[in-house]
Amino acid sequence: MTAPFDSSDLARFRAAVASHLGLQFEDARSNELAAVFERLCVASDGGAAAYLARLERARLRRRDLHALARQLTVGETYFFRNPDQLRAFAEAVLPERRAARASQAHHASQMSGPCVRILSAGCASGEEAYSLAIIARECGAPRGEVTITGVDVNAAALERAAEGRYSAWSLRETPADVRRRWFREVGRDYAVAPSIRAEVRFEERNLAAPEPDLWLSESYDVIFCRNVLMYLTPETVRAVVARMKQALAPGGYLFLGHADSLRELSQEFSLRNTHGTFYYQRTTAEACGPAGSIAPPRPSSRPPGGEWAETVRRSTERIRELSEQPAVRPSCPGPEPGSGSPLAESMALLARERFAGALECLDRLPEHEASAPDVLLVRAILLTHQGQLEAAERACSKLRAGGADSAGAHYLLALCREGVGDRTGALENDRVAAALDPGFAMPRLHLGLLARRSGDLRAAQRELGQALDLLAGEDAERIRLFGGGFTREALTRLCRAELRAAGGAR
Ligand SMILES: C[S@@+](CC[C@H](N)C(=O)[O-])C[C@H]1O[C@@H](n2cnc3c(N)ncnc32)[C@H](O)[C@@H]1O
């Protein structure tokens, strides 16, 4: 069939699509665009001229918008897509936002309980929104505490989302136990459990339109807008980023897809890098909560993702790799053929609480290796365990002076300060550690213990409650390094017992 339009008609169609939906079609996708234009012209009374005249009105007919969205959007999605990001959400972001909302509700003496609000912008057929609801429940959030809104411009996709019934292909990345817990088999399909569906609602929304009631100021804790910006025009991306920024609560988080980037778009987000993935946090002056509440990380004076972040990331990874090496011999008189490096041997001994031997291993390292951030951190941990507090503080100071100012170093400093009777110094360092890394359970636990000992039961309840939440998602390697020989279960039991003793129920 001959195309009932010419190239200038197609240019007008492309411009109308960009203006109404914010979608961008580069030259490489011109054939795809032309095919859709042709189909829509044929379906429309009056051919290309009448159809274009309709599209070029300021307000589009609902039916035309639906047809455009159905034909031009890419709705590829599945449950538990990009698992690294979802782990960061489960283990770092969600515990922090739950704690922040709980602390706000507590301060405001709210009767209704805390509520964490999440937006899945460009949710397609709903898999992302339901995955987030499942994760929240798996993380222990009670019903109603975390609510998720999924929005999309494609009404047909939203109908499928609301139905909550999916093929096995949509669940291709869903772990079998999660599938068993939260889905019911219906013929060859899988239906999302009603208790999960109750946490999620879907709305037809156009990200390219102002939609003021969708973007109410500071209304979301976390926004997922993954694999959406890559389809939008630069102007639409700028507008959407600005809306997301103002709709995020101070300290709130934004997850984009791997192909999307905020680079040069907003100075008001800082890049976070945990769990092998990147995401963003809204950084504003108001984001710094009151002392003692869960505060987001202090905005770093160093460029996000710069040399400093890289050093910390590398050293953490190296420690993890070393600790995953096969166990080495228990004592460490000197290098043996086939044994690990002195640092690996030291880590293995640390795991067995053989602190003196572990320190001896580190002493064998040549000077230039001994001052590497990962070695200094392990040394500071061992010295703290050995009660050599002055030497431990010196190792922490060296770490910080070398630019590796980490939550771990501040937590160790807090233990050292407490050890020499400086309670104020201990509290300060714990708070800095918790602010630098809101997912770090140990400084919260320590703050709780300090508060209980001083008789401040309210603070003890708050801190121990947060520690309990964080412990559930705490990184196993970090527990091994900083847990003082306690397992996660033992720390959790300790935390619960202290919480009960402070008058808090759990
Ligand atoms: C590839 S899917 C992403 C689904 C999900 N976020 C994920 O990462 O798996 C992109 C979605 O963005 C939606 N979208 C594109 N332009 C939009 C707009 N202007 N307003 C709302 N949604 C839009 C599409 O309809 C589509 O469902």
Side-chain angles (χ1 to χ4, degrees):
M1 187 203 291
T2 323
F5 54 83
D6 60 24
S7 61
S8 70
D9 290 338
L10 184 61
R12 286 170 62 193
F13 180 62
R14 190 192 303 256
V17 165
S19 143
H20 290 297
L21 289 168
L23 294 175
Q24 166 163 270
F25 282 83
E26 308 90 354
D27 289 344
R29 293 179 68 200
S30 282
N31 287 347
E32 188 190 331
L33 188 70
V36 170
F37 185 36
E38 183 173 342
R39 278 201 296 276
L40 292 172
C41 286
V42 168
S44 164
D45 290 341
Y51 180 56
L52 281 173
R54 260 199 345 259
L55 284 196
E56 285 170 346
R57 287 192 206 129
R59 277 182 71 84
L60 202 56
R61 288 194 328 190
R62 228 174 136 63
R63 203 154 21 110
D64 285 327
L65 181 75
H66 284 174
L68 283 176
R70 194 172 51 246
Q71 306 249 7
L72 291 173
T73 56
V74 176
E76 165 64 10
T77 185
Y78 47 90
F79 282 92
F80 299 97
R81 187 178 194 177
N82 297 356
D84 288 347
Q85 288 190 329
L86 297 181
R87 271 195 323 116
F89 168 71
E91 294 174 8
V93 168
L94 186 60
E96 183 201 319
R97 293 312 302 168
R98 288 181 68 200
R101 289 295 181 193
S103 148
Q104 273 173 13
H106 176 76
H107 284 113
S109 304
Q110 257 172 244
M111 303 300 288
S112 53
C115 184
V116 174
R117 279 199 288 266
I118 299 172
L119 179 71
S120 166
C123 65
S125 37
E127 288 89 330
E128 177 178 82
Y130 287 131
S131 300
L132 297 174
I134 290 171
I135 290 170
R137 294 292 288 285
E138 294 257 319
C139 288
R143 281 188 189 198
E145 186 185 320
V146 178
T147 63
I148 294 134
T149 306
V151 299
D152 204 285
V153 73
N154 185 344
L158 290 172
E159 269 175 35
R160 291 199 298 280
E163 205 186 337
R165 194 171 153 159
Y166 297 92
S167 68
W169 182 239
S170 289
L171 278 77
R172 59 192 179 272
E173 292 290 325
T174 306
D177 57 330
V178 172
R179 190 185 290 214
R180 271 196 303 277
R181 277 195 289 280
W182 303 109
F183 294 85
R184 187 170 50 85
E185 281 187 49
V186 185
R188 298 173 67 176
D189 291 341
Y190 291 85
V192 179
S195 70
I196 294 297
R197 288 177 62 187
E199 314 280 17
V200 184
R201 67 165 201 268
F202 294 101
E203 294 175 13
E204 186 189 324
R205 300 286 194 162
N206 184 355
L207 298 178
E211 305 259 19
D213 60 328
L214 176 63
W215 302 113
L216 292 178
S217 178
E218 300 182 1
S219 50
Y220 302 107
D221 293 274
V222 190
I223 297 179
F224 279 77
C225 186
R226 302 189 300 170
N227 310 301
V228 178
L229 299 183
M230 59 196 274
Y231 297 110
L232 304 180
T233 64
E235 305 78 63
T236 313
V237 171
R238 261 191 294 278
V240 173
V241 169
R243 288 177 195 130
M244 293 196 293
K245 190 233 124 196
Q246 68 100 34
L248 269 176
Y253 289 90
L254 171 64
F255 286 84
L256 300 179
H258 292 324
D260 308 313
S261 164
L262 270 192
R263 203 170 320 173
E264 291 166 26
L265 283 175
S266 176
Q267 304 301 314
E268 288 147 300
F269 289 95
S270 66
L271 189 65
R272 302 297 310 274
N273 172 208
T274 69
H275 302 79
T277 190
F278 290 96
Y279 49 103
Y280 298 87
Q281 183 172 32
R282 181 182 163 182
T283 51
T284 62
E286 323 89 274
C288 302
S293 72
I294 280 257
R298 283 185 314 183
S300 168
S301 56
R302 293 165 229 267
E307 210 181 298
W308 167 81
E310 185 54 20
T311 306
V312 173
R313 189 185 63 73
R314 267 205 314 269
S315 67
T316 312
E317 272 172 13
R318 195 166 153 219
I319 287 175
R320 186 190 301 279
E321 274 165 28
L322 289 171
S323 65
E324 282 167 359
Q325 286 182 5
V328 292
R329 66 194 189 287
S331 66
C332 184
E336 228 178 46
S339 71
S341 73
L343 181 54
E345 293 177 14
S346 182
M347 290 295 301
L349 291 170
L350 188 157
R352 288 192 219 116
E353 296 175 65
R354 308 274 299 263
F355 303 132
L359 273 168
E360 279 171 31
C361 290
L362 293 188
D363 289 338
R364 292 203 333 258
L365 284 165
E367 176 106 53
H368 68 281
E369 283 186 37
S371 55
D374 45 1
V375 178
L376 279 174
L377 185 64
V378 174
R379 181 182 289 284
I381 291 169
L382 292 168
L383 289 167
T384 310
H385 287 323
Q386 283 285 87
Q388 298 181 40
L389 302 184
E390 268 180 44
E393 288 210 34
R394 275 200 303 278
C396 288
S397 304
K398 256 193 182 170
L399 258 175
R400 299 182 57 210
D405 189 10
S406 65
H410 281 281
Y411 171 62
L412 294 175
L413 281 171
L415 297 182
C416 294
R417 289 286 88 208
E418 191 202 1
V420 297
D422 173 12
R423 187 172 177 276
T424 311
L427 291 172
E428 267 171 19
N429 277 291
D430 273 332
R431 285 193 187 124
V432 174
L436 278 173
D437 188 342
F440 195 8
M442 297 310 294
R444 289 283 160 208
L445 177 53
H446 193 218
L447 280 168
L449 298 178
L450 289 172
R452 192 170 95 70
R453 270 179 232 141
S454 71
D456 184 350
L457 297 187
R458 257 178 88 135
Q461 287 175 18
R462 185 185 64 231
E463 299 293 350
L464 291 166
Q466 289 176 355
L468 206 49
D469 288 338
L470 292 175
L471 272 172
E474 179 63 275
D475 183 65
E477 187 52 31
R478 204 151 60 166
I479 290 184
R480 192 129 70 107
L481 279 172
F482 295 99
F486 286 95
T487 61
R488 184 192 309 275
E489 290 66 34
L491 288 168
T492 304
R493 277 198 300 277
L494 167 74
C495 203
R496 283 222 170 87
E498 288 285 334
L499 189 56
R500 271 196 303 276
R506 271 224 243 171

